[in-house]
Amino acid sequence: VQLQASGGGTVQTGGSLRLSCVASGTITGVYTWAWYRQAPGKEQELVAEIITRGGSTNYADSVKGRFTISKDSAKKTVYLQMDSLKSEDTAVYLCNADIRVHFTREKYWGKGTQVTVSS
């Protein structure tokens, strides 16, 4: 199983970006998708997560109202729409998925995608 994230880049304060993360490989099911971020000198932070069954979501307080996580189960893809970006959103964003492969269940990580917000 591999997770491939894309969509990062440099944007000005107040701008928007949309991140995508697609899962590939032998996948029986996905339980949850999540986006984390890692900024220099800071601890890794859970940004948003979505439960596949039911679609309930959870956001870090710092991004509520600005970021939206969504999924396309058929495409095994999760998205993170980021609006009203601030300089403090600058970080490497990593996708994570809790995946079932046949009878095993494991969390997988994709390589990060850099988001830089400039003033």
Side-chain angles (χ1 to χ4, degrees):
V1 175
Q2 290 188 331
L3 300 182
Q4 181 65 51
S6 62
T10 300
V11 64
Q12 290 190 328
T13 301
S16 298
L17 281 174
R18 188 192 195 205
L19 305 184
S20 300
C21 177
V22 59
S24 61
T26 303
I27 298 170
T28 305
V30 180
Y31 294 96
T32 62
W33 295 93
W35 287 97
Y36 288 77
R37 64 186 180 187
Q38 179 80 61
K42 295 186 178 181
E43 293 187 356
Q44 190 177 77
E45 175 187 25
L46 174 64
V47 177
E49 62 182 349
I50 183 167
I51 299 175
T52 301
R53 181 172 292 184
S56 61
T57 57
N58 180 45
Y59 295 92
D61 288 342
S62 57
V63 307
K64 281 182 181 176
R66 301 187 298 120
F67 290 12
T68 304
I69 188 170
S70 62
K71 60 174 176 62
D72 185 329
S73 296
K75 295 182 179 179
K76 297 186 177 67
T77 301
V78 66
Y79 305 97
L80 186 67
Q81 178 66 42
M82 305 186 294
D83 299 318
S84 302
L85 282 161
K86 305 176 181 179
S87 57
E88 51 262 45
D89 294 319
T90 295
V92 174
Y93 284 71
L94 305 106
C95 68
N96 171 278
D98 186 356
I99 293 174
R100 183 162 62 96
V101 178
H102 299 308
F103 301 106
T104 63
R105 180 175 175 175
E106 187 174 340
K107 290 193 174 184
Y108 293 85
W109 289 90
K111 291 183 179 180
T113 184
Q114 176 71 46
V115 171
T116 302
V117 184
S118 61
S119 56

